[in-house]
Coordinates of all heavy atoms in Angstrom, one line a residue:
M1 N -13.6 -42.0 -27.6 CA -12.3 -41.6 -28.1 C -11.3 -42.8 -28.0 O -11.3 -43.5 -27.0 CB -11.8 -40.5 -27.3 CG -11.6 -39.3 -28.2 SD -11.1 -37.9 -27.1 CE -10.2 -37.2 -28.4
E2 N -10.5 -42.9 -29.0 CA -9.5 -44.0 -29.0 C -8.2 -43.5 -28.5 O -7.7 -42.4 -28.9 CB -9.4 -44.5 -30.4 CG -8.6 -45.7 -30.6 CD -8.6 -46.1 -32.0 OE1 -9.6 -46.1 -32.7 OE2 -7.5 -46.5 -32.5
R3 N -7.5 -44.2 -27.6 CA -6.2 -43.8 -27.1 C -5.2 -44.6 -27.8 O -5.3 -45.8 -27.9 CB -6.2 -44.0 -25.6 CG -7.0 -43.0 -24.9 CD -6.8 -43.0 -23.4 NE -5.4 -42.7 -23.0 CZ -5.0 -41.6 -22.5 NH1 -5.8 -40.7 -22.2 NH2 -3.7 -41.4 -22.2
Y4 N -4.1 -44.0 -28.1 CA -2.9 -44.7 -28.7 C -1.9 -45.0 -27.6 O -1.8 -44.4 -26.6 CB -2.3 -43.7 -29.7 CG -3.2 -43.4 -30.9 CD1 -3.9 -42.2 -31.0 CD2 -3.5 -44.4 -31.9 CE1 -4.7 -41.9 -32.0 CE2 -4.4 -44.1 -32.9 CZ -5.0 -42.9 -33.0 OH -5.8 -42.6 -34.0
P5 N -1.1 -46.1 -27.8 CA -0.2 -46.5 -26.8 C 0.9 -45.5 -26.5 O 1.3 -45.4 -25.3 CB 0.5 -47.7 -27.4 CG -0.1 -48.0 -28.7 CD -1.1 -46.9 -29.0
N6 N 1.2 -44.6 -27.4 CA 2.3 -43.6 -27.1 C 1.7 -42.3 -26.7 O 2.3 -41.3 -26.6 CB 3.1 -43.4 -28.4 CG 4.0 -44.6 -28.7 OD1 4.3 -45.3 -27.8 ND2 4.4 -44.7 -29.9
D7 N 0.4 -42.3 -26.3 CA -0.3 -41.0 -25.9 C -0.1 -40.8 -24.4 O -1.0 -41.1 -23.7 CB -1.8 -41.1 -26.3 CG -2.5 -39.8 -26.2 OD1 -1.8 -38.8 -26.2 OD2 -3.7 -39.8 -26.1
T8 N 1.0 -40.3 -24.1 CA 1.3 -40.1 -22.6 C 1.0 -38.6 -22.4 O 1.3 -37.8 -23.2 CB 2.7 -40.4 -22.3 OG1 3.6 -39.7 -23.1 CG2 3.0 -41.9 -22.5
P9 N 0.6 -38.3 -21.2 CA 0.3 -36.9 -20.8 C 1.6 -36.1 -20.8 O 2.7 -36.6 -20.3 CB -0.4 -36.9 -19.5 CG -0.1 -38.3 -18.9 CD 0.2 -39.2 -20.1
V10 N 1.6 -34.9 -21.2 CA 2.8 -34.1 -21.2 C 2.8 -33.3 -19.9 O 1.8 -32.8 -19.4 CB 2.7 -33.0 -22.4 CG1 3.8 -32.1 -22.3 CG2 2.6 -33.7 -23.7
P11 N 3.9 -33.4 -19.2 CA 4.0 -32.7 -17.9 C 3.9 -31.2 -18.0 O 4.3 -30.6 -19.0 CB 5.3 -33.1 -17.3 CG 6.1 -33.5 -18.5 CD 5.2 -34.1 -19.5
A12 N 3.3 -30.6 -17.0 CA 3.1 -29.1 -17.1 C 4.5 -28.5 -16.9 O 5.3 -29.0 -16.2 CB 2.2 -28.7 -15.9
P13 N 4.7 -27.3 -17.5 CA 6.0 -26.7 -17.4 C 6.2 -26.2 -15.9 O 5.3 -25.9 -15.2 CB 5.9 -25.5 -18.3 CG 4.4 -25.3 -18.6 CD 3.8 -26.6 -18.4
D14 N 7.4 -26.3 -15.6 CA 7.8 -26.0 -14.2 C 8.3 -24.5 -14.1 O 9.3 -24.2 -14.7 CB 8.9 -26.9 -13.7 CG 9.3 -26.7 -12.2 OD1 8.5 -26.1 -11.5 OD2 10.3 -27.2 -11.8
F15 N 7.5 -23.7 -13.5 CA 7.8 -22.3 -13.4 C 8.5 -21.9 -12.0 O 8.5 -20.8 -11.6 CB 6.5 -21.4 -13.5 CG 5.9 -21.5 -14.9 CD1 4.7 -22.2 -15.1 CD2 6.6 -21.0 -16.0 CE1 4.2 -22.2 -16.4 CE2 6.1 -21.0 -17.2 CZ 4.9 -21.7 -17.4
R16 N 8.9 -22.9 -11.3 CA 9.5 -22.7 -10.0 C 11.0 -22.4 -10.0 O 11.6 -22.3 -9.0 CB 9.3 -23.9 -9.1 CG 7.8 -24.1 -8.8 CD 7.6 -25.3 -7.9 NE 8.0 -26.5 -8.7 CZ 8.1 -27.7 -8.1 NH1 7.8 -27.9 -6.9 NH2 8.4 -28.7 -8.9
G17 N 11.5 -22.1 -11.1 CA 12.9 -21.8 -11.2 C 13.3 -20.5 -10.5 O 14.4 -20.4 -10.1
N18 N 12.4 -19.6 -10.5 CA 12.7 -18.3 -9.9 C 12.1 -18.2 -8.4 O 12.0 -17.1 -7.9 CB 12.1 -17.1 -10.7 CG 12.8 -17.0 -12.0 OD1 14.0 -17.3 -12.1 ND2 12.2 -16.5 -13.0
D19 N 11.8 -19.3 -7.8 CA 11.3 -19.2 -6.4 C 12.3 -18.6 -5.5 O 11.9 -17.9 -4.6 CB 10.8 -20.6 -6.0 CG 9.4 -20.8 -6.2 OD1 8.7 -19.9 -6.6 OD2 8.9 -22.0 -5.9
G20 N 13.5 -18.9 -5.7 CA 14.6 -18.4 -4.8 C 14.6 -16.9 -4.8 O 14.7 -16.2 -3.8
S21 N 14.6 -16.4 -6.0 CA 14.7 -14.9 -6.1 C 13.4 -14.3 -5.7 O 13.4 -13.2 -5.1 CB 15.0 -14.5 -7.6 OG 13.9 -14.9 -8.4
L22 N 12.2 -14.9 -5.9 CA 11.0 -14.4 -5.4 C 10.9 -14.4 -3.9 O 10.5 -13.4 -3.3 CB 9.8 -15.2 -6.0 CG 8.4 -14.7 -5.6 CD1 8.1 -13.3 -6.1 CD2 7.4 -15.7 -6.1
V23 N 11.3 -15.4 -3.3 CA 11.3 -15.5 -1.8 C 12.3 -14.5 -1.2 O 12.0 -13.8 -0.3 CB 11.6 -16.9 -1.4 CG1 11.9 -17.0 0.1 CG2 10.5 -17.9 -1.7
S24 N 13.4 -14.4 -1.9 CA 14.4 -13.4 -1.4 C 13.9 -12.0 -1.5 O 14.1 -11.2 -0.6 CB 15.7 -13.6 -2.3 OG 16.6 -12.5 -1.9
A25 N 13.2 -11.7 -2.6 CA 12.6 -10.3 -2.8 C 11.5 -10.1 -1.8 O 11.4 -9.0 -1.2 CB 12.1 -10.2 -4.2
L26 N 10.7 -11.1 -1.5 CA 9.7 -10.9 -0.5 C 10.2 -10.7 0.9 O 9.7 -9.9 1.7 CB 8.7 -12.0 -0.6 CG 7.8 -12.0 -1.8 CD1 6.9 -13.3 -1.8 CD2 6.9 -10.8 -1.9
K27 N 11.3 -11.4 1.2 CA 11.9 -11.3 2.5 C 12.5 -9.9 2.7 O 12.4 -9.3 3.7 CB 13.0 -12.3 2.7 CG 12.4 -13.7 3.0 CD 13.6 -14.7 3.3 CE 13.1 -16.1 3.5 NZ 14.2 -17.0 3.7
T28 N 13.1 -9.4 1.6 CA 13.7 -8.1 1.6 C 12.6 -7.0 1.8 O 12.7 -6.1 2.6 CB 14.5 -7.8 0.3 OG1 15.5 -8.8 0.2 CG2 15.1 -6.4 0.3
L29 N 11.5 -7.2 1.1 CA 10.4 -6.2 1.2 C 9.8 -6.3 2.5 O 9.5 -5.2 3.1 CB 9.4 -6.6 0.1 CG 8.2 -5.6 0.0 CD1 8.6 -4.2 -0.4 CD2 7.2 -6.1 -1.0
L30 N 9.6 -7.4 3.1 CA 9.0 -7.6 4.4 C 9.9 -6.9 5.5 O 9.5 -6.2 6.4 CB 8.8 -9.0 4.8 CG 8.1 -9.3 6.2 CD1 6.7 -8.7 6.2 CD2 8.1 -10.8 6.4
F31 N 11.2 -7.1 5.4 CA 12.2 -6.6 6.3 C 12.1 -5.0 6.3 O 12.1 -4.4 7.3 CB 13.6 -7.1 6.0 CG 14.7 -6.4 6.8 CD1 14.9 -6.6 8.1 CD2 15.5 -5.4 6.2 CE1 15.8 -6.0 8.9 CE2 16.5 -4.7 6.9 CZ 16.6 -5.0 8.3
F32 N 12.1 -4.5 5.1 CA 12.1 -3.0 5.0 C 10.8 -2.4 5.3 O 10.7 -1.3 5.8 CB 12.6 -2.6 3.6 CG 14.1 -2.6 3.5 CD1 14.7 -3.6 2.8 CD2 14.9 -1.6 4.0 CE1 16.1 -3.7 2.7 CE2 16.2 -1.7 4.0 CZ 16.9 -2.7 3.3
T33 N 9.7 -3.2 5.1 CA 8.4 -2.7 5.6 C 8.3 -2.6 7.1 O 7.9 -1.6 7.6 CB 7.3 -3.7 5.1 OG1 7.3 -3.7 3.6 CG2 5.9 -3.2 5.5
I34 N 8.8 -3.6 7.8 CA 8.8 -3.6 9.2 C 9.8 -2.5 9.7 O 9.5 -1.7 10.6 CB 9.3 -4.9 9.8 CG1 8.2 -6.0 9.5 CG2 9.6 -4.9 11.3 CD1 8.5 -7.4 9.8
L35 N 10.9 -2.3 9.1 CA 11.9 -1.3 9.4 C 11.3 0.1 9.2 O 11.5 1.0 10.0 CB 13.1 -1.4 8.6 CG 14.4 -0.7 9.1 CD1 14.8 -1.2 10.5 CD2 15.5 -0.9 8.1
M36 N 10.5 0.3 8.1 CA 9.9 1.6 7.8 C 8.8 2.0 8.8 O 8.6 3.1 9.1 CB 9.2 1.5 6.4 CG 8.6 2.8 6.0 SD 9.7 4.1 5.8 CE 10.3 3.8 4.2
V37 N 8.2 1.0 9.4 CA 7.2 1.3 10.4 C 7.8 1.5 11.8 O 7.5 2.5 12.5 CB 6.1 0.2 10.5 CG1 5.2 0.3 11.6 CG2 5.3 0.1 9.2
T38 N 8.7 0.7 12.2 CA 9.2 0.7 13.6 C 10.3 1.8 13.8 O 10.3 2.4 14.8 CB 9.8 -0.7 14.0 OG1 10.8 -1.1 13.1 CG2 8.7 -1.7 14.0
L39 N 11.2 1.9 12.9 CA 12.3 2.8 13.1 C 11.9 4.3 13.2 O 12.3 4.9 14.2 CB 13.4 2.7 12.0 CG 14.7 3.4 12.2 CD1 15.5 2.8 13.4 CD2 15.6 3.4 11.0
P40 N 11.1 4.9 12.3 CA 10.8 6.3 12.5 C 9.9 6.5 13.8 O 10.1 7.5 14.5 CB 10.0 6.6 11.3 CG 10.4 5.6 10.3 CD 10.7 4.4 11.0
I41 N 9.0 5.6 14.1 CA 8.2 5.8 15.3 C 9.0 5.6 16.5 O 8.9 6.4 17.5 CB 7.0 4.8 15.3 CG1 6.1 5.1 14.1 CG2 6.2 4.8 16.6 CD1 5.0 4.1 13.9
G42 N 9.9 4.6 16.6 CA 10.7 4.5 17.7 C 11.7 5.6 17.9 O 11.9 6.1 19.1
L43 N 12.3 6.1 16.8 CA 13.2 7.2 17.0 C 12.4 8.5 17.3 O 13.0 9.3 18.1 CB 13.9 7.4 15.6 CG 15.1 6.5 15.4 CD1 15.7 6.8 14.0 CD2 16.1 6.6 16.5
Y44 N 11.2 8.7 16.9 CA 10.4 9.8 17.2 C 10.2 9.9 18.7 O 10.6 10.9 19.4 CB 9.1 9.8 16.5 CG 8.2 10.9 17.0 CD1 8.3 12.2 16.5 CD2 7.2 10.7 17.9 CE1 7.5 13.2 16.9 CE2 6.4 11.7 18.4 CZ 6.5 13.0 17.9 OH 5.7 14.0 18.3
F45 N 9.7 8.8 19.3 CA 9.4 8.9 20.8 C 10.7 8.9 21.6 O 10.8 9.5 22.6 CB 8.5 7.7 21.1 CG 7.1 7.9 20.7 CD1 6.6 7.2 19.7 CD2 6.3 8.9 21.2 CE1 5.3 7.4 19.2 CE2 5.0 9.2 20.8 CZ 4.5 8.4 19.8
A46 N 11.7 8.1 21.2 CA 13.0 8.1 21.9 C 13.7 9.4 21.9 O 14.1 9.9 22.9 CB 13.9 7.0 21.4
S47 N 13.8 10.0 20.7 CA 14.5 11.3 20.7 C 13.7 12.4 21.4 O 14.3 13.3 22.0 CB 14.7 11.7 19.2 OG 13.5 11.9 18.5
K48 N 12.4 12.3 21.3 CA 11.5 13.3 22.0 C 11.7 13.3 23.5 O 12.0 14.3 24.2 CB 10.1 13.2 21.6 CG 9.2 14.2 22.3 CD 7.7 13.8 22.0 CE 6.8 14.8 22.7 NZ 7.0 15.0 24.1
A49 N 11.6 12.0 24.0 CA 11.7 11.9 25.5 C 13.1 12.0 26.1 O 13.3 12.7 27.1 CB 11.0 10.5 25.9
Y50 N 14.0 11.3 25.4 CA 15.3 11.2 26.0 C 16.3 12.2 25.6 O 17.2 12.7 26.3 CB 15.9 9.8 25.8 CG 15.1 8.7 26.4 CD1 14.4 7.7 25.6 CD2 14.9 8.6 27.7 CE1 13.7 6.7 26.1 CE2 14.1 7.6 28.3 CZ 13.5 6.7 27.5 OH 12.7 5.7 28.0
V51 N 16.3 12.6 24.3 CA 17.3 13.5 23.8 C 16.8 15.0 24.0 O 17.5 15.8 24.6 CB 17.6 13.2 22.3 CG1 18.5 14.3 21.7 CG2 18.1 11.8 22.1
F52 N 15.7 15.3 23.4 CA 15.3 16.7 23.4 C 14.7 17.2 24.7 O 14.9 18.4 25.1 CB 14.3 16.9 22.2 CG 14.9 16.7 20.9 CD1 14.4 15.7 20.0 CD2 16.1 17.3 20.4 CE1 15.0 15.4 18.8 CE2 16.6 17.1 19.2 CZ 16.1 16.1 18.4
E53 N 13.9 16.4 25.4 CA 13.3 16.9 26.6 C 14.2 16.6 27.8 O 14.4 17.5 28.6 CB 11.9 16.2 26.8 CG 10.9 16.7 25.9 CD 9.5 16.1 26.2 OE1 9.4 15.2 27.0 OE2 8.6 16.6 25.5
A54 N 14.7 15.4 27.9 CA 15.5 15.1 29.1 C 16.9 15.7 29.0 O 17.4 16.3 30.0 CB 15.6 13.6 29.3
S55 N 17.6 15.5 27.9 CA 19.0 15.9 27.8 C 19.2 17.4 27.5 O 20.0 18.1 28.2 CB 19.8 15.1 26.8 OG 19.8 13.8 27.1
M56 N 18.4 17.9 26.6 CA 18.5 19.3 26.2 C 17.6 20.2 26.9 O 17.7 21.4 26.7 CB 18.3 19.4 24.6 CG 19.4 18.6 23.9 SD 19.1 18.9 22.1 CE 20.5 18.1 21.4
G57 N 16.6 19.7 27.6 CA 15.7 20.5 28.3 C 14.8 21.4 27.5 O 14.4 22.5 27.9
M58 N 14.4 20.9 26.3 CA 13.5 21.7 25.4 C 12.1 21.6 25.9 O 11.7 20.7 26.7 CB 13.6 21.2 24.0 CG 14.9 21.4 23.3 SD 14.7 20.9 21.6 CE 16.3 21.4 21.0
S59 N 11.3 22.6 25.5 CA 9.9 22.5 25.9 C 9.2 21.4 25.1 O 9.7 20.8 24.1 CB 9.2 23.9 25.5 OG 9.2 24.1 24.1
N60 N 7.9 21.1 25.5 CA 7.2 20.1 24.8 C 6.9 20.3 23.4 O 7.1 19.4 22.5 CB 5.8 19.9 25.6 CG 5.2 18.5 25.3 OD1 5.9 17.6 24.9 ND2 3.9 18.4 25.7
N61 N 6.6 21.6 23.0 CA 6.3 21.9 21.6 C 7.6 21.9 20.8 O 7.5 21.4 19.6 CB 5.7 23.3 21.5 CG 4.3 23.4 22.1 OD1 3.6 22.4 22.0 ND2 3.8 24.5 22.5
D62 N 8.7 22.3 21.3 CA 9.9 22.3 20.5 C 10.4 20.8 20.3 O 10.9 20.5 19.2 CB 11.0 23.1 21.2 CG 10.8 24.6 21.1 OD1 10.1 25.0 20.2 OD2 11.4 25.3 21.9
S63 N 10.2 20.0 21.3 CA 10.6 18.6 21.2 C 9.8 17.9 20.2 O 10.3 17.0 19.5 CB 10.6 17.9 22.5 OG 9.3 17.8 23.0
Y64 N 8.5 18.2 20.0 CA 7.7 17.6 19.0 C 8.2 17.9 17.6 O 8.3 17.0 16.7 CB 6.2 18.2 19.0 CG 5.3 17.6 20.1 CD1 4.6 18.5 20.9 CD2 5.3 16.3 20.3 CE1 3.7 18.0 21.8 CE2 4.5 15.7 21.3 CZ 3.7 16.6 22.1 OH 2.9 16.1 23.0
F65 N 8.6 19.1 17.4 CA 9.1 19.6 16.1 C 10.4 18.9 15.7 O 10.6 18.3 14.6 CB 9.3 21.1 16.1 CG 9.9 21.7 14.9 CD1 9.1 21.8 13.7 CD2 11.2 22.1 14.8 CE1 9.6 22.3 12.5 CE2 11.7 22.6 13.6 CZ 11.0 22.7 12.5
Y66 N 11.4 18.9 16.6 CA 12.7 18.3 16.3 C 12.6 16.7 16.3 O 13.3 16.1 15.5 CB 13.7 18.7 17.4 CG 14.1 20.2 17.2 CD1 13.7 21.1 18.2 CD2 14.7 20.7 16.0 CE1 14.0 22.5 18.0 CE2 15.0 22.0 15.9 CZ 14.6 22.9 16.9 OH 14.9 24.2 16.7
A67 N 11.7 16.1 17.1 CA 11.6 14.7 17.0 C 10.9 14.3 15.6 O 11.3 13.2 15.1 CB 10.7 14.2 18.1
A68 N 10.0 15.1 15.1 CA 9.5 14.9 13.8 C 10.5 14.9 12.7 O 10.5 14.1 11.8 CB 8.3 15.9 13.5
I69 N 11.5 15.9 12.9 CA 12.5 16.0 11.9 C 13.4 14.7 11.9 O 13.8 14.1 10.9 CB 13.4 17.2 12.1 CG1 12.6 18.5 11.8 CG2 14.7 17.2 11.3 CD1 13.3 19.8 12.1
V70 N 13.7 14.2 13.1 CA 14.4 12.9 13.3 C 13.7 11.8 12.6 O 14.3 11.0 11.9 CB 14.7 12.6 14.7 CG1 15.3 11.2 14.9 CG2 15.7 13.7 15.3
A71 N 12.4 11.7 12.8 CA 11.6 10.6 12.2 C 11.6 10.7 10.6 O 11.7 9.7 9.9 CB 10.2 10.7 12.7
V72 N 11.5 11.9 10.1 CA 11.5 12.1 8.6 C 12.9 11.7 8.1 O 13.0 11.1 7.0 CB 11.2 13.6 8.3 CG1 11.5 13.9 6.8 CG2 9.7 13.8 8.6
V73 N 13.9 12.1 8.8 CA 15.3 11.7 8.3 C 15.4 10.2 8.4 O 16.0 9.5 7.5 CB 16.4 12.4 9.2 CG1 17.7 11.8 8.9 CG2 16.4 13.9 8.9
A74 N 14.8 9.5 9.4 CA 14.9 8.1 9.4 C 14.1 7.4 8.3 O 14.6 6.4 7.7 CB 14.3 7.6 10.8
V75 N 13.0 8.0 7.9 CA 12.2 7.5 6.8 C 13.1 7.6 5.5 O 13.1 6.6 4.7 CB 10.9 8.2 6.6 CG1 10.3 8.0 5.2 CG2 9.9 7.9 7.7
H76 N 13.7 8.7 5.3 CA 14.5 8.9 4.1 C 15.7 7.9 4.1 O 16.1 7.4 3.1 CB 15.0 10.3 4.0 CG 13.9 11.2 3.5 ND1 13.0 11.8 4.3 CD2 13.6 11.6 2.2 CE1 12.2 12.5 3.6 NE2 12.5 12.4 2.3
F77 N 16.3 7.7 5.3 CA 17.4 6.7 5.4 C 17.0 5.3 5.0 O 17.6 4.6 4.3 CB 18.0 6.8 6.8 CG 19.0 5.7 7.0 CD1 20.3 5.9 6.5 CD2 18.8 4.6 7.7 CE1 21.3 5.0 6.7 CE2 19.8 3.7 7.9 CZ 21.1 3.9 7.4
V78 N 15.8 4.9 5.5 CA 15.3 3.5 5.2 C 15.0 3.4 3.7 O 15.3 2.4 3.1 CB 14.1 3.2 6.1 CG1 13.4 1.9 5.6 CG2 14.5 3.1 7.5
L79 N 14.4 4.4 3.1 CA 14.1 4.4 1.7 C 15.4 4.3 0.9 O 15.4 3.5 -0.1 CB 13.3 5.6 1.3 CG 11.8 5.6 1.7 CD1 11.2 6.9 1.3 CD2 11.1 4.5 0.9
A80 N 16.3 5.1 1.2 CA 17.6 5.0 0.5 C 18.3 3.7 0.6 O 18.8 3.1 -0.3 CB 18.5 6.2 1.0
L81 N 18.2 3.1 1.8 CA 18.8 1.8 2.1 C 18.1 0.7 1.3 O 18.7 -0.2 0.7 CB 18.8 1.5 3.6 CG 19.6 0.3 4.0 CD1 21.1 0.4 3.7 CD2 19.4 0.1 5.5
F82 N 16.8 0.8 1.2 CA 16.0 -0.1 0.4 C 16.3 0.0 -1.1 O 16.5 -1.1 -1.7 CB 14.5 0.1 0.6 CG 13.7 -0.7 -0.3 CD1 13.5 -2.1 -0.1 CD2 13.0 -0.2 -1.4 CE1 12.8 -2.9 -0.9 CE2 12.2 -1.0 -2.3 CZ 12.1 -2.3 -2.0
V83 N 16.5 1.2 -1.6 CA 16.8 1.3 -3.0 C 18.2 0.8 -3.3 O 18.4 0.1 -4.3 CB 16.7 2.8 -3.4 CG1 17.4 3.1 -4.8 CG2 15.3 3.3 -3.4
Y84 N 19.1 1.0 -2.4 CA 20.5 0.5 -2.5 C 20.5 -1.1 -2.5 O 21.1 -1.7 -3.4 CB 21.4 1.0 -1.4 CG 22.8 0.4 -1.4 CD1 23.7 0.9 -2.3 CD2 23.2 -0.5 -0.5 CE1 25.0 0.4 -2.3 CE2 24.4 -1.1 -0.5 CZ 25.3 -0.6 -1.4 OH 26.6 -1.1 -1.4
V85 N 19.8 -1.7 -1.6 CA 19.7 -3.1 -1.5 C 19.0 -3.7 -2.7 O 19.5 -4.7 -3.3 CB 19.1 -3.6 -0.2 CG1 18.7 -5.0 -0.2 CG2 19.9 -3.2 1.0
A86 N 17.9 -3.1 -3.1 CA 17.2 -3.6 -4.3 C 18.0 -3.5 -5.5 O 18.0 -4.4 -6.4 CB 15.9 -2.9 -4.4
W87 N 18.7 -2.4 -5.7 CA 19.6 -2.2 -6.9 C 20.7 -3.3 -6.9 O 20.9 -3.8 -8.0 CB 20.2 -0.8 -6.8 CG 21.0 -0.5 -8.0 CD1 22.3 -0.7 -8.2 CD2 20.5 0.2 -9.2 NE1 22.7 -0.3 -9.5 CE2 21.6 0.3 -10.1 CE3 19.3 0.6 -9.6 CZ2 21.5 0.9 -11.3 CZ3 19.2 1.2 -10.9 CH2 20.2 1.3 -11.7
N88 N 21.3 -3.5 -5.8 CA 22.4 -4.5 -5.8 C 21.9 -5.9 -5.9 O 22.6 -6.7 -6.5 CB 23.2 -4.3 -4.5 CG 24.1 -3.1 -4.6 OD1 24.5 -2.7 -5.6 ND2 24.5 -2.6 -3.4
E89 N 20.7 -6.2 -5.4 CA 20.1 -7.5 -5.5 C 19.8 -7.8 -7.0 O 20.1 -8.9 -7.5 CB 18.9 -7.6 -4.7 CG 18.3 -9.0 -4.7 CD 17.1 -9.0 -3.7 OE1 16.0 -8.7 -4.2 OE2 17.2 -9.4 -2.6
G90 N 19.3 -6.9 -7.7 CA 19.0 -7.1 -9.1 C 20.2 -7.2 -9.9 O 20.3 -8.0 -10.8
S91 N 21.2 -6.4 -9.6 CA 22.5 -6.5 -10.3 C 23.2 -7.8 -10.0 O 23.8 -8.4 -11.0 CB 23.4 -5.3 -9.8 OG 24.7 -5.5 -10.2
Q92 N 23.1 -8.3 -8.8 CA 23.8 -9.6 -8.5 C 23.1 -10.7 -9.3 O 23.7 -11.6 -9.8 CB 23.7 -9.8 -7.0 CG 24.3 -11.1 -6.5 CD 24.1 -11.3 -5.0 OE1 23.3 -10.7 -4.4 NE2 24.9 -12.2 -4.5
Q93 N 21.7 -10.7 -9.3 CA 21.0 -11.8 -10.1 C 21.3 -11.7 -11.6 O 21.4 -12.7 -12.2 CB 19.5 -11.6 -9.8 CG 19.1 -12.0 -8.4 CD 17.7 -11.7 -8.2 OE1 17.0 -11.2 -9.0 NE2 17.2 -12.1 -7.0
Y94 N 21.5 -10.5 -12.1 CA 21.9 -10.3 -13.5 C 23.2 -10.9 -13.8 O 23.4 -11.6 -14.8 CB 21.8 -8.8 -13.9 CG 22.3 -8.6 -15.3 CD1 21.5 -8.9 -16.4 CD2 23.6 -8.0 -15.5 CE1 21.9 -8.6 -17.6 CE2 24.0 -7.8 -16.8 CZ 23.2 -8.1 -17.8 OH 23.6 -7.8 -19.1
H95 N 24.2 -10.7 -12.9 CA 25.5 -11.2 -13.1 C 25.6 -12.7 -12.9 O 26.3 -13.4 -13.6 CB 26.5 -10.5 -12.2 CG 26.8 -9.1 -12.5 ND1 27.3 -8.7 -13.7 CD2 26.7 -7.9 -11.8 CE1 27.4 -7.4 -13.8 NE2 27.1 -6.9 -12.6
E96 N 24.8 -13.2 -12.0 CA 24.8 -14.7 -11.8 C 24.2 -15.4 -13.1 O 24.7 -16.4 -13.5 CB 24.0 -15.1 -10.6 CG 24.7 -14.8 -9.3 CD 23.8 -15.0 -8.1 OE1 22.7 -15.5 -8.3 OE2 24.3 -14.8 -7.0
G97 N 23.1 -14.8 -13.6 CA 22.5 -15.3 -14.8 C 23.4 -15.2 -16.0 O 23.4 -16.0 -17.0
K98 N 24.2 -14.2 -16.1 CA 25.1 -13.8 -17.2 C 26.3 -14.9 -17.3 O 26.8 -15.2 -18.4 CB 25.7 -12.4 -17.0 CG 26.3 -11.9 -18.2 CD 25.2 -11.4 -19.1 CE 25.9 -10.5 -20.2 NZ 25.1 -10.3 -21.3
Q99 N 26.7 -15.4 -16.1 CA 27.8 -16.3 -16.1 C 27.5 -17.7 -16.7 O 28.3 -18.4 -17.1 CB 28.4 -16.5 -14.7 CG 29.0 -15.3 -14.2 CD 29.4 -15.4 -12.7 OE1 29.1 -16.4 -12.1 NE2 30.1 -14.4 -12.2
D100 N 26.2 -18.1 -16.7 CA 25.8 -19.4 -17.2 C 25.9 -19.5 -18.6 O 25.9 -18.8 -19.5 CB 24.3 -19.7 -16.8 CG 24.2 -19.9 -15.3 OD1 25.3 -20.2 -14.7 OD2 23.1 -19.9 -14.7

């Protein structure tokens, strides 16, 4: 094959323009994943031992039930907070791109 003097290789397209938003999204997802695991479990055991059994003097079976309700409410709170943050993050990126 014959090469011409102006036959220079074309650089590959750079797709790293959205790395900042991708890293930000992954950090947000990792934060809420850790929060989703630790907060309900921690609140379950803390509320069972310290609030319902120690402070309120409930029986073991009753404290299981009410501590589970606290954990479920914590899960819903984390999910709602994640949706709020994700919604605002997407909205913010849209407005930043719109100004250019």
